[in-house]
Amino acid sequence: MKKSICVVAILISGFYLSASGSLLTIHAGNDFYLSEDRIDTTNKDNDLFFDFGFGLDDIGGSGLSFHTDLKASNAFIDGETSASARRAIDISTGYLDWRSGNRVFGARFGRQLYSSLSFDSYDFDGLSIGIEPTKKSTINLAAGLRVPSPWGTPYRKTVTATDPVSLLPYVDTVTGYKHNLLSNPGKSMVAMLDGSLSMIPFSTLTYGLSLVPAPYMRSHYGLDTTFSRDINTGSLVVDTVDRTYSEGDTKGDFRIALGTDIAPVSFLRFTGSGRYSVYHKGLDRFDARLRFLPGKVGDISVYFLGDKGRIDSTNYFSLMCFKQLHEFGLTANFFSESGIAVQLDYHATSFIDEGTDHFLSFDASQRFLFGGAVLGLGYHGESIRAYGGFSLPFLKVFSLEGNAEFYRVFPNVYRDAPFDPELINLLWEQLGSLELVNAALATLPDEKINASPQNAVLFAGGLKILFRRAGLKFYPRVEYVTNRYYTKDMRFRFTTDILIRKYWSTGGGQ
């Protein structure tokens, strides 16, 4: 019955309608998963991700528009695992938008996405205003509340259940989750000012200022070593515990950012930006890239960037805590009139209090095929990643598509120096202070451990059916995944869309 409901939902809602003109917009789409999950045996064997939205553009030629979008999934309402902490329905956007006839002034009110050099890219509930006072300058202002996280706040609640043996009722305590659709104004207020200037010949200057609330300051995670004295023997006891460095618990951050794009001659171009953070008391993000011979044939560029106070959970080796990251590299791109593109890249990343990792990558693509490889080695270990895919159209509406990826990593793990009771007792006798003992232990080199290699393999393929004039698309495909989390995960995925342009027009329109 559950699978039947999902199939019916796909047939009913698997369309994507868009009207341009003056203009009604309606869209809906699905991603349906049927999987064999080897991790969570209590979870469903099928998930339906649903996206629905609609809008009215330039109503009656007035320049006023309305757009909203809603995403929902049954993947977060199983009631038995921590997935229940995730909100099942999200309003991702919902705003009124107005543009003047000459496009000099615009305003947007509601839930929207905002992006700038100083603010990054976030969703917020509020008002944004855009002004173009001259052809060579723009000004944007925004204020509102950061959109609350879709993950709920846990709390304990009591429920009444029945004992399966005695059939008698009893009271049990379980964890519930509270989800907020609107944030607390006192903790999540944001304000932004940004824009661009192009008065200087051959260059464009961008700028940004923003106030970021404390709850959204990033955190670092790590391990901490604790010491204590056994009250019976008097010996020193050492233990390792997880520690979270929660930054910005009591104050937010004020950020100032500047960016530039300079192209004095056709064969040379420089782009760069930097952001000053009051919280970090200095630059927390910067980048610079110098391109040579940018054009139709290709380009060669050198770049340097830095980042601080960010967590990268997508890193090949492990979750990286960016106390301070520096990266530099060299990239070469080559293009041909036949549509072939080739990229060669070398870059090195280094972390404060850690070491340097080196990466060499090759990527090639054309209309029907793509592929590449990445080699990595350095402080965090060695890795190799190879990938490729194809897209083979036939009979105008069909396209056979597939891709594969293999990844193997030999990680290095660094731990505190091995526990040596004799050394610790000797330090205690000599120094007589827990603080001094900790300081002495901190100077010892970490122990390097070659962890077991880890593999990841992905195969995916399917048949895409696309009727371009009608905008109708069906894309069933199969995915097979094995990695450090999945012994075997077989997934069937089905995506449906319809896009019909100029479906309805009432006249007017910009």
Side-chain angles (χ1 to χ4, degrees):
M1 181 62 183
K2 180 170 56 177
K3 295 181 180 179
S4 300
I5 293 175
C6 288
V7 172
V8 171
I10 291 175
L11 295 176
I12 293 176
S13 60
F15 62 92
Y16 193 115
L17 298 176
S18 177
S20 63
S22 151
L23 318 182
L24 172 68
T25 300
I26 303 175
H27 66 86
N30 297 290
D31 262 327
F32 172 69
Y33 283 89
L34 184 65
S35 61
E36 181 180 347
D37 190 337
R38 293 294 188 180
I39 298 179
D40 185 2
T41 58
T42 67
N43 200 9
K44 299 179 177 66
D45 58 0
N46 63 76
D47 297 320
L48 176 64
F49 295 88
F50 175 68
D51 184 9
F52 174 79
F54 71 93
L56 292 171
D57 294 297
D58 192 19
I59 303 171
S62 64
L64 181 66
S65 304
F66 173 75
H67 288 272
T68 187
D69 189 83
L70 180 144
K71 292 179 173 61
S73 175
N74 67 344
F76 309 127
I77 52 176
D78 53 45
E80 296 186 38
T81 71
S82 59
S84 303
R86 176 66 160 78
R87 191 163 51 228
I89 299 176
D90 265 326
I91 301 175
S92 57
T93 58
Y95 58 84
L96 286 168
D97 184 276
W98 181 77
R99 293 289 182 270
S100 62
N102 56 7
R103 298 288 177 174
V104 172
F105 181 84
R108 180 173 292 180
F109 178 75
R111 178 159 294 182
Q112 56 192 283
L113 175 67
Y114 197 92
S115 179
S116 72
L117 283 177
S118 62
F119 189 61
D120 296 321
S121 179
Y122 298 123
D123 297 319
F124 82 101
D125 298 318
L127 174 68
S128 62
I129 297 174
I131 307 171
E132 188 177 342
T134 68
K135 293 296 184 180
K136 295 184 177 182
S137 64
T138 62
I139 302 174
N140 304 301
L141 303 98
L145 307 177
R146 279 289 311 275
V147 173
S149 168
W151 296 94
T153 302
Y155 68 94
R156 302 295 291 174
K157 64 179 182 178
T158 57
V159 296
T160 301
T162 302
D163 186 278
V165 178
S166 65
L167 301 180
L168 296 176
Y170 68 95
V171 177
D172 194 11
T173 302
V174 298
T175 300
Y177 298 92
K178 181 181 180 181
H179 298 92
N180 298 309
L181 294 178
L182 293 176
S183 295
N184 185 334
K187 296 181 178 180
S188 58
M189 181 67 70
V190 295
M192 291 76 69
L193 168 65
D194 58 86
S196 64
L197 301 170
S198 56
M199 288 81 166
I200 304 174
F202 311 112
S203 64
T204 299
L205 177 68
T206 54
Y207 61 91
L209 297 87
S210 63
L211 286 170
V212 182
Y216 297 95
M217 294 295 293
R218 296 175 175 87
S219 300
H220 294 314
Y221 298 87
L223 296 176
D224 191 16
T225 302
T226 62
F227 298 89
S228 61
R229 281 283 175 181
D230 188 292
I231 59 175
N232 297 318
T233 63
S235 61
L236 195 63
V237 179
V238 182
D239 194 12
T240 301
V241 296
D242 293 330
R243 179 171 63 177
T244 302
Y245 306 85
S246 297
E247 299 184 1
D249 286 336
T250 59
K251 61 180 181 179
D253 192 15
F254 176 66
R255 301 168 177 172
I256 303 174
L258 290 175
T260 186
D261 187 333
I262 304 174
V265 291
S266 60
F267 57 85
L268 192 65
R269 184 175 186 177
F270 174 80
T271 56
S273 67
R275 188 176 74 181
Y276 179 85
S277 165
V278 172
Y279 179 84
H280 289 292
K281 299 178 181 179
L283 292 177
D284 71 335
R285 188 168 302 174
F286 58 86
D287 66 273
R289 181 183 290 268
L290 184 62
R291 289 183 172 90
F292 303 92
L293 304 174
K296 295 182 179 180
V297 177
D299 62 68
I300 300 174
S301 62
V302 292
Y303 62 91
F304 180 67
L305 60 88
D307 205 344
K308 181 187 294 185
R310 183 168 68 90
I311 294 177
D312 181 8
S313 60
T314 64
N315 191 280
Y316 288 152
F317 294 111
S318 62
L319 182 145
M320 299 292 188
C321 305
F322 290 178
K323 299 177 184 178
Q324 177 64 67
L325 160 74
H326 291 113
E327 179 177 326
F328 64 90
L330 172 66
T331 302
N333 295 294
F334 304 96
F335 312 103
S336 70
E337 295 182 355
S338 60
I340 298 176
V342 176
Q343 182 182 84
L344 299 172
D345 179 83
Y346 162 77
H347 66 273
T349 59
S350 62
F351 304 87
I352 191 171
D353 298 332
E354 297 186 20
T356 302
D357 295 306
H358 304 268
F359 298 92
L360 181 65
S361 64
F362 167 81
D363 185 273
S365 64
Q366 54 102 248
R367 182 182 178 186
F368 305 113
L369 300 170
F370 72 90
V374 181
L375 298 176
L377 70 158
Y379 178 84
H380 291 95
E382 293 74 44
S383 67
I384 179 171
R385 174 176 175 251
Y387 58 91
F390 63 88
S391 177
L392 304 178
F394 62 96
L395 298 178
K396 294 185 178 181
V397 299
F398 296 100
S399 178
L400 185 63
E401 303 198 1
N403 63 281
E405 179 175 342
F406 171 78
Y407 167 61
R408 185 173 177 85
V409 60
F410 304 85
N412 294 333
V413 178
Y414 295 87
R415 297 176 181 172
D416 293 337
F419 175 60
D420 186 347
E422 295 183 0
L423 174 61
I424 292 178
N425 287 325
L426 177 62
L427 291 174
W428 184 266
E429 294 174 358
Q430 293 178 349
L431 302 176
S433 168
L434 184 60
E435 289 75 13
L436 294 177
V437 171
N438 288 342
L441 293 175
T443 62
L444 298 177
D446 293 337
E447 179 186 19
K448 178 181 176 181
I449 301 174
N450 296 320
S452 300
Q454 299 169 353
N455 292 335
V457 178
L458 166 67
F459 294 99
L463 180 66
K464 182 182 292 185
I465 306 171
L466 178 61
F467 300 92
R468 296 184 182 278
R469 297 189 64 178
L472 176 63
K473 182 179 76 173
F474 297 98
Y475 188 20
R477 55 201 182 276
V478 176
E479 298 177 349
Y480 177 84
V481 181
T482 63
N483 56 28
R484 61 193 297 186
Y485 303 110
Y486 296 96
T487 303
K488 180 179 69 173
D489 191 43
M490 196 77 173
R491 306 172 183 175
F492 170 74
R493 184 176 179 182
F494 186 38
T495 302
T496 58
D497 284 315
I498 293 181
L499 175 59
I500 302 176
R501 295 186 178 277
K502 297 183 179 181
Y503 178 70
W504 178 41
S505 176
T506 59
Q510 299 181 24

